[in-house]
Amino acid sequence: MHYYVYQHPIELESGASLPELQIAYHTFGQLNAQADNVVWVSHALTANSDVFDWWPGLFGPTDFFNPEEYFIVCPNILGSHYGTTGPLSIHPETSQPYLHAFPQFTVRDMVQVHQILADHLGIRQIQVLIGASLGGQQALEWSIQQPEQIKNLILLATNAQHSPWGIAFNESQRMAIELDPSWGTGELSDGMEGMKVARSIALLSYRHYQTYQQAQEESDRDKTDGYRAASYQVYQGEKLQRRFNAYSYYYLSKAMDSHHVGRGRGSVELALKQIQARSLVVGIDSDILFPPTEQKRLAEGIPDAQYVELNSQFGHDGFLLEAAALSGIFNDFFNTQTQLTKKVSLVSEH
């Protein structure tokens, strides 16, 4: 883990500002002599900058993106729990944590943080910019803001603007946090019970009906309580509770809601036309949170983009769990110059 402290104010899209910025990030491998081997990873909602930890099979010493071949950079996003400036950070002017005083920020503000770090690292061109879900929203924004800097763009399970469906899921989660009696008491641990419920709600959007049928169905026909599906929801909520904080979860969901590449650019279609990167868009056929229609819109709007649809039983979480299939898709993308539209099926062992 590395830290970069940017000792200048940064203005956010809202007009508010942060007096300074700390960015936590990981790098793997070395920048080559031609400086053309940078792989930049924009991570999703509750991930961290250690991409080898949460995206195994795609990132690692023996995986598709490996440090022998690539210089891999993954920064922790603005507002997160894992080292970059966020709601639990100490405000330098008050010497107290920001908490509810942290300014609202957007996906575009996250990208500004990425660009500050890229400048610090002396990175002028990114060979591959990759992101999924909220990470894909960041990657898309960056490729529109600085199209000449991105050579190859990989977008997975993401969209051009966050949908009413996605915003409704996020608002339901925030309502759970707001109903926690501790929310607003001024403690770092505020809202943690509410966040546990919020994560349970979120998980329903990350998977789908058939996932639960296959993994949580009961074998005991006489059972009337203590169901596997119920305990699984509790477990997932408690799992996040042990590693995250409710303030970051709340603010990051707001940032995701803000995502709309057409804002200030005339329309989504006009914005997507600005992308110059050779682009691959991957949809997941069982994704109910970011359904394939959203990725198809991206592929249709980005000049000469390629679209691949992954068949997976894991819904939105397929981008994390289907590394073998994704490695094959990426291999095809980097080894062909012709437009590719196909559907990839995988019999998963997960």
Side-chain angles (χ1 to χ4, degrees), residues 76-93:
N76 182 226
I77 58 176
L78 178 66
S80 185
H81 181 73
Y82 296 111
T84 295
T85 299
L88 300 194
S89 299
I90 302 299
H91 193 304
E93 296 175 3

Side-chain angles (χ1 to χ4, degrees), residues 225-240:
D225 201 359
Y227 298 106
R228 294 177 61 184
S231 62
Y232 182 69
Q233 295 304 104
V234 173
Y235 163 74
Q236 290 292 341
E238 291 175 343
K239 185 178 176 182
L240 184 69

Side-chain angles (χ1 to χ4, degrees), residues 122-144:
I123 294 173
R124 299 291 175 260
Q125 185 180 75
I126 294 172
Q127 183 73 10
V128 181
L129 175 59
I130 181 172
S133 193
L134 174 60
Q137 294 175 341
Q138 297 164 58
L140 186 64
E141 266 293 337
W142 194 349
S143 65
I144 293 168

Side-chain angles (χ1 to χ4, degrees), residues 269-306:
E269 288 67 30
L270 288 174
L272 295 179
K273 286 180 180 178
Q274 297 179 41
I275 296 174
Q276 297 176 17
R278 183 166 177 262
S279 302
L280 171 67
V281 183
V282 179
I284 302 171
D285 65 348
S286 58
D287 191 343
I288 64 170
L289 184 58
F290 291 78
T293 53
E294 296 192 321
Q295 291 86 61
K296 289 175 182 176
R297 184 185 187 189
L298 292 175
E300 290 167 0
I302 298 171
D304 300 318
Q306 300 178 18

Side-chain angles (χ1 to χ4, degrees), residues 149-305:
Q149 190 172 21
I150 315 302
K151 187 169 182 180
N152 294 280
L153 175 66
I154 301 178
L155 304 170
L156 303 96
T158 194
N159 53 18
Q161 65 187 85
H162 209 45
S163 66
W165 175 246
I167 292 169
F169 264 110
N170 284 342
E171 182 63 21
S172 297
Q173 294 173 64
R174 290 190 293 267
M175 288 167 64
I177 293 172
E178 290 166 349
L179 286 173
D180 186 324
S182 71
W183 186 243
T185 63
E187 301 294 330
L188 299 183
S189 59
D190 286 358
M192 294 296 277
E193 287 299 310
M195 188 184 71
K196 183 167 70 173
V197 178
R199 187 62 165 186
S200 178
I201 295 169
L203 196 69
L204 299 177
S205 70
Y206 299 157
R207 305 296 174 87
H208 65 104
Y209 177 89
Q210 199 59 38
T211 311
Y212 278 80
Q213 283 294 103
Q214 294 175 0
Q216 307 301 331
E217 189 174 14
E218 299 291 341
S219 58
D220 181 0
R221 72 184 66 180
D222 297 322
K223 181 177 284 190
T224 60
D225 201 359
Y227 298 106
R228 294 177 61 184
S231 62
Y232 182 69
Q233 295 304 104
V234 173
Y235 163 74
Q236 290 292 341
E238 291 175 343
K239 185 178 176 182
L240 184 69
Q241 195 179 42
R242 289 191 292 269
R243 69 174 180 87
F244 216 68
N245 78 82
Y247 286 99
S248 288
Y249 198 87
Y250 192 95
Y251 275 91
L252 290 171
S253 73
K254 283 278 193 182
M256 179 178 277
D257 290 353
S258 78
H259 175 62
H260 194 317
V261 299
R263 184 168 63 250
R265 297 178 178 132
S267 69
V268 165
E269 288 67 30
L270 288 174
L272 295 179
K273 286 180 180 178
Q274 297 179 41
I275 296 174
Q276 297 176 17
R278 183 166 177 262
S279 302
L280 171 67
V281 183
V282 179
I284 302 171
D285 65 348
S286 58
D287 191 343
I288 64 170
L289 184 58
F290 291 78
T293 53
E294 296 192 321
Q295 291 86 61
K296 289 175 182 176
R297 184 185 187 189
L298 292 175
E300 290 167 0
I302 298 171
D304 300 318

